[in-house]
């Protein structure tokens, strides 16, 4: 059961692998807030310009107008003082200061809904996500469907050979995989082996 807060702010985190429906869920929640005549703003990091510069777009092509920002300072500059509900997509790309910022907004009585990858392409915690999950009131962990076997998938498997953590994904570069198929893709270096520990 979800307890609906009445007169306080709070933080919601939507997490999961690529293709799990995080952006769809973010759009759904913010659209409902908009219908409830609340003042809504949605942001995304500029790094993610896969589909549309100024809109948040899901893999299923659902869209919501948004503001693309280079960093947290720009986000703060673009934030309206009237805003009641704030959405942030691809929040894993912000640095750790985003955590304190979300806490501040919630303490001011606003509702913040953030969506992001909880694990990187090796199954390691991604950026500020562990801390955000820790301080949030509400957490939703979604799964995609493993493209190899059809099981629920909680990892994003990178098809391209590239060791950098941030490699902005197209549908061709990543696929959703379950635990077993993810490990089978890395026969000599599973995410539990030493070289993958942070
Ligand atoms: P995320 O933000 O988590 O990457 P999106 O909300 O952008 O996910 O897209 C989710 C949509 O992606 C699904 O509703 C479905 O239409 C599509 N999709 C493509 N591949 C898969 C997959 N392997 N598992 C589930 N959904 C998929
Ligand atoms: Zn699988």
């Amino acid at each position: 059961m979800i307890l609906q807060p009445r007169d306080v702010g709070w933080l919601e985190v939507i997490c999961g692998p690529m293709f799990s429906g995080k952006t769809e869920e973010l759009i759904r929640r913010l659209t409902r807030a908009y219908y409830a005549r609340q003042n809504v703003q949605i942001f995304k990091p500029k790094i993610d310009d896969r589909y549309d510069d100024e809109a948040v777009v899901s893999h299923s092509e659902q869209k919501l107008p948004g503001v693309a920002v280079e960093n947290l300072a720009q986000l703060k500059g673009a934030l309206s003082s009237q805003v009641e509900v704030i959405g942030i997509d691809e929040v894993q790309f912000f640095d750790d200061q985003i955590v304190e910022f979300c806490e501040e907004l919630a303490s001011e009585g606003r509702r913040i809904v953030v969506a992001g990858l909880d694990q990187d392409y090796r199954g390691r915690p991604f950026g500020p996500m562990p801390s955000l999950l820790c301080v949030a009131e509400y957490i939703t962990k979604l799964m995609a469907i493993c493209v190899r076997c059809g099981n629920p998938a909680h990892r994003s498997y990178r098809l391209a050979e590239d060791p950098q953590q941030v490699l902005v994904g197209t549908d061709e570069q990543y696929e959703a995989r379950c635990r077993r198929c993810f490990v089978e893709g890395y026969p000599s270096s599973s995410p539990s082996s030493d070289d993958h520990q942070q």
Side-chain angles (χ1 to χ4, degrees):
M1 187 182 81
I2 292 200
L3 299 171
Q4 194 64 36
R6 287 182 308 162
D7 52 3
V8 290
W10 71 94
L11 171 63
E12 299 166 34
V13 180
I14 304 163
C15 69
M18 285 181 68
F19 309 106
S20 61
K22 301 183 299 297
T23 302
E24 281 175 355
E25 180 61 17
L26 180 68
I27 290 173
R28 190 186 76 86
R29 292 186 194 181
L30 293 202
T31 305
R32 287 169 64 90
Y34 171 78
Y35 282 129
R37 300 202 181 87
Q38 292 169 340
N39 196 323
V40 178
Q41 265 190 309
I42 182 161
F43 298 93
K44 65 173 189 177
K46 239 186 193 138
I47 191 166
D48 183 34
D49 59 357
R50 286 172 291 180
Y51 305 98
D52 195 318
D53 265 341
E54 295 291 335
V56 170
V57 187
S58 76
H59 288 104
S60 49
E61 292 179 16
Q62 293 179 31
K63 262 190 190 191
L64 208 62
V67 182
V69 293
E70 300 272 4
N71 50 37
L72 181 58
Q74 261 192 18
L75 194 160
K76 286 181 179 173
L79 191 73
S80 147
S81 58
Q82 306 299 314
V83 72
E84 297 164 274
V85 184
I86 299 127
I88 307 176
D89 200 13
E90 303 286 4
V91 71
Q92 77 277 356
F93 290 141
F94 287 89
D95 63 29
D96 278 342
Q97 291 171 343
I98 196 78
V99 183
E100 203 185 321
F101 176 66
C102 288
E103 291 249 75
E104 278 168 22
L105 292 175
S107 303
E108 288 167 16
R110 317 213 219 188
R111 174 185 175 199
I112 306 105
V113 188
V114 302
L117 291 164
D118 47 357
Q119 301 175 42
D120 71 5
Y121 76 105
R122 283 184 161 173
R124 297 174 300 197
F126 210 135
M129 292 302 287
S131 305
L132 286 168
L133 287 161
C134 177
V135 299
E137 276 88 348
Y138 297 113
I139 295 167
T140 305
K141 180 152 177 162
L142 300 172
M143 286 199 276
I145 301 299
C146 176
V147 296
R148 286 180 89 215
C149 74
N151 275 304
H154 80 313
R155 293 218 169 115
S156 313
Y157 182 86
R158 183 185 289 173
L159 298 163
E161 290 278 327
D162 195 326
Q164 59 181 330
Q165 188 180 43
V166 177
L167 177 67
V168 176
T170 63
D171 293 7
E172 291 78 39
Q173 279 168 314
Y174 293 91
E175 56 188 36
R177 289 202 185 182
C178 72
R179 181 180 294 278
R180 188 181 57 206
C181 295
F182 181 85
V183 172
E184 283 170 4
Y186 292 106
S188 58
S189 53
S190 77
S192 56
S193 68
D194 286 341
D195 60 338
H196 288 163
Q197 304 298 313
Q198 278 188 318

